Amino acid sequence: MHELAVAIVNAEEDSPEENSYRTQLLNYLDELTGKYGELPSLLATRADYIDDPIETERLLLRASELAAHIGDTRNVCEVALSLADLYATERLRSVAARAWLEKARAHMSPDDESRWASSRRIEKRLEEL
């Protein structure tokens, strides 16, 4: 899966090559879901590679629900950051973005530099709204 994600990033945007890699990745996620069932990480990964913000939101909300249900705090945090980013950049719902950002921050450790950097980027975007 990592190789396909790298190929997508390295392909020219909206090119046939990128679309092919994206389709392959989504098909692979379908296979994994068939094998392991609906998992927060699979739902969140799918959300990262689709273009429909409403479907992205639905997938992330379901991933959050599942992660909380099974006590998967890593994915609770990751998904909350993704939802905060979605609401701050595409869906433009600042109250929801702040709520999800706070939820993510509640699950971050002080030394989690990349998550804190994402958190600050989202906070900055919210200040600009």
Side-chain angles (χ1 to χ4, degrees):
M1 183 161 33
H2 177 74
E3 295 81 16
L4 287 170
V6 169
I8 291 168
V9 169
N10 289 331
E12 185 177 329
E13 191 172 341
D14 294 325
S15 68
E17 181 181 45
E18 181 198 31
N19 292 332
S20 173
Y21 290 135
R22 186 180 303 271
T23 299
Q24 289 175 52
L25 179 67
L26 293 172
N27 288 338
Y28 184 57
L29 289 169
D30 287 341
E31 289 177 31
L32 291 174
T33 300
K35 185 174 183 176
Y36 299 107
E38 196 176 46
L39 296 174
S41 57
L42 297 177
L43 291 168
T45 301
R46 178 174 297 282
D48 286 342
Y49 291 96
I50 61 171
D51 294 326
D52 179 358
I54 294 170
E55 180 64 5
T56 297
E57 178 182 30
R58 187 193 71 74
L59 290 167
L60 290 173
L61 289 170
R62 178 68 179 142
S64 175
E65 178 184 300
L66 287 172
H69 179 72
I70 63 174
D72 183 351
T73 57
R74 183 182 66 81
N75 273 310
V76 167
C77 183
E78 288 293 329
V79 171
L81 273 174
S82 293
L83 280 161
D85 185 55
L86 177 71
Y87 290 134
T89 59
E90 292 185 55
R91 303 285 286 155
L92 302 181
R93 296 180 180 164
S94 61
V95 172
R98 289 187 192 286
W100 285 105
L101 188 57
E102 288 308 311
K103 184 172 187 166
R105 287 176 174 169
H107 289 88
M108 288 186 219
S109 64
D111 62 338
D112 197 350
E113 293 176 27
S114 67
R115 288 182 181 153
W116 283 107
S118 293
S119 169
R120 287 188 296 274
R121 181 185 51 75
I122 295 166
E123 183 71 40
K124 184 177 179 186
R125 171 67 177 135
L126 287 170
E127 291 169 3
E128 294 169 357
L129 290 178

